[in-house]
Amino acid sequence: MSENPFHSPDLAPAQGEAPRKPRVAVVFGGRSSEHAISVVTAGAVLRAIDRGKYDVLPIGITGDGRWALTADDPERMAIADRRLPSVAELAESAEGGVVLPVDPANREVVYSEPGAVPKALGEVDVVFPMLHGPYGEDGTLQGLLELSGIPYVGSGVLASAVGQDKEYMKRVFTSFGLPVGPYAVIRPREWVNDPSAARKKIIDFAGEHGWPLFVKPARAGSSIGITKVDDLSGLDEAIEEAQRHDPKILVEALLRGREIECGVLEFEDGPRASVPAEIPPVSAHDFYDFEAKYIDSADGLVPAPLTDEQTAEVRRLAVAAFEAASCEGLVRADFFLTEDGEFVINEINTMPGFTPISMYPRMWQESGIGYPELVDRLIQAALRRSTGLR
């Protein structure tokens, strides 16, 4: 079998020239409701990348899908006075666009503006896709990069898609014998064809598992669009809120217990789990929602106060979830430790948040890998990995 010629960039210098540093394109923003959090995450990563080791090209995707050349200015990418940043504020032009080549033999990125000659921005050796949610974290960007033959940080097309769609994530975990909580799915067609039957499906689910329920978009993250529903009176409003973000919704039963998270990082010899963390109840919030995560900055306990046996079990389950979904690079796995002492997988995130208060880097910091080293490990792993079937 011949080697994949696009496995790694040719960084060897021509005679008499200095070695070329690998070029990292940090892609962020995007069309999902998690646009602002993606910008914040990318700012933290840009701040951490070793500029003596890598060249960096920041590329932002606006809310309407335009790929923009942006300022390399992490300070402008943070949440300030509860105000969320956007790519539109960082873009160097209101009309210019960045284009990746869909050609594995050519990794040169081009920038163009209306009425101007396109400008070559040079080759990209690896992409760090800091996109959250649909149109980026869900396998769509990963598919584009596979067509382009450009290595990238994180999971491939299948694992990214499975990790984004909470229904199929749970189906995959169940097929591997991993523990998941009770849930029901309402697809768009069900509301169109017979909304009364769809509503009854949820009411019957509540009759079996009890109130309250959580109604959430099936393919969103950062706790956006989630409503805790205490009784039938709040159901329609919760459905409407979830469908603002995704026409397919997920309904989950309340699992009483503790919220535990665990990071997984792929090393040369395979994936390993970090020390786990615990998300304590937030007094000002009904649950760990968007405001608690990113605005009011709930303090997680790292490491989580667990027994040695519980720590070993949650780490085992986190790696098992990583393997079950065929993930690569990194994952944050979220669990409930129920009142009867059992761990239940809530979800995985194939591109977890890297904001200064994000749990994934905090867990690895406690495990002995600091933020800059964590970013470097992810880039190096992507550079070693080929695109295509693997």
Side-chain angles (χ1 to χ4, degrees):
M1 182 182 296
S2 62
E3 292 186 1
N4 183 343
F6 313 116
H7 185 162
S8 59
D10 181 10
L11 302 177
Q15 188 172 4
E17 293 182 359
R20 183 171 74 82
K21 292 184 291 187
R23 197 151 196 239
V24 182
V26 178
V27 180
F28 60 95
R31 295 163 57 189
S32 81
S33 52
E34 296 178 79
H35 177 100
I37 296 308
S38 173
V39 176
V40 175
T41 299
V45 170
L46 285 170
R47 191 178 293 111
I49 291 179
D50 183 352
R51 303 308 175 94
K53 190 173 182 178
Y54 305 103
D55 285 328
V56 178
L57 177 65
I59 300 174
I61 302 178
T62 63
D64 59 5
R66 179 174 63 91
W67 289 48
L69 192 61
T70 67
D72 184 1
D73 188 354
E75 300 306 318
R76 293 172 56 198
M77 301 168 75
I79 297 174
D81 299 324
R82 305 179 75 89
R83 182 173 176 273
L84 299 175
S86 71
V87 169
E89 297 170 344
L90 297 162
E92 294 191 355
S93 165
E95 295 182 302
V98 175
V99 179
L100 289 181
V102 188
D103 177 1
N106 173 23
R107 293 181 178 176
E108 189 163 72
V109 176
V110 174
Y111 176 74
S112 63
E113 293 193 44
V117 176
K119 179 174 66 174
L121 299 178
E123 292 189 351
V124 167
D125 300 306
V126 62
V127 170
F128 205 134
M130 302 310 307
L131 295 161
H132 301 306
Y135 312 109
E137 190 183 354
D138 58 350
T140 50
L141 177 62
Q142 290 75 13
L144 173 62
L145 296 172
E146 292 286 351
L147 291 173
S148 301
I150 302 176
Y152 52 92
V153 171
S155 290
V157 176
L158 174 64
S160 297
V162 168
Q164 187 64 45
D165 191 311
K166 294 178 176 62
E167 175 195 357
Y168 286 96
M169 181 197 307
K170 292 176 186 291
R171 289 183 181 274
V172 167
F173 291 160
T174 300
S175 72
F176 277 81
L178 300 174
V180 302
Y183 69 96
V185 178
I186 306 296
R187 292 180 170 80
R189 189 181 301 112
E190 294 181 72
W191 289 110
V192 173
N193 292 344
D194 194 342
S196 296
R199 191 174 289 103
K200 182 179 183 301
K201 182 177 177 180
I202 299 176
I203 294 171
D204 289 345
F205 180 81
E208 180 178 358
H209 299 288
W211 301 91
L213 302 175
F214 287 92
V215 177
K216 59 177 63 175
R219 296 162 292 194
S222 296
S223 298
I224 291 173
I226 299 178
T227 305
K228 181 181 177 184
V229 182
D230 294 313
D231 53 45
L232 187 59
S233 65
L235 182 58
D236 285 355
E237 185 177 350
I239 292 169
E240 182 179 345
E241 171 61 18
Q243 288 183 325
R244 286 202 312 112
H245 305 278
D246 187 346
K248 181 167 83 166
I249 67 170
L250 195 75
V251 180
E252 294 178 336
L254 172 68
L255 292 176
R256 299 187 185 279
R258 299 159 63 187
E259 292 191 51
I260 306 295
E261 299 184 348
C262 190
V264 180
L265 180 64
E266 187 173 12
F267 288 73
E268 290 82 349
D269 60 351
R272 303 180 199 172
S274 70
V275 300
E278 180 171 3
I279 308 300
V282 185
S283 58
H285 302 265
D286 265 354
F287 61 98
Y288 194 41
D289 62 5
F290 180 90
E291 291 271 326
K293 282 183 178 179
Y294 299 111
I295 305 298
D296 293 337
S297 306
D299 290 327
L301 304 176
V302 188
L306 301 171
T307 66
D308 291 345
E309 292 77 12
Q310 289 171 330
T311 296
E313 176 63 3
V314 75
R315 293 177 75 179
R316 181 191 72 80
L317 287 170
V319 171
F322 182 98
E323 299 279 37
S326 297
C327 295
E328 296 169 287
L330 72 164
V331 150
R332 194 193 72 231
D334 300 346
F335 299 85
F336 292 107
L337 177 56
T338 63
E339 293 177 339
D340 60 4
E342 299 297 321
F343 284 103
V344 175
I345 300 176
N346 182 34
E347 65 181 35
I348 59 171
N349 283 267
T350 55
M351 187 51 69
F354 270 79
T355 67
I357 61 169
S358 293
M359 298 308 298
Y360 185 84
R362 287 183 59 193
M363 288 186 287
W364 279 109
Q365 175 75 45
E366 188 67 24
S367 302
I369 298 179
Y371 196 106
E373 181 186 352
L374 182 61
V375 170
D376 184 67
R377 280 182 173 272
L378 290 169
I379 294 171
Q380 287 297 316
L383 285 168
R384 289 193 302 269
R385 192 165 57 235
S386 67
T387 54
L389 299 178
R390 53 190 183 274

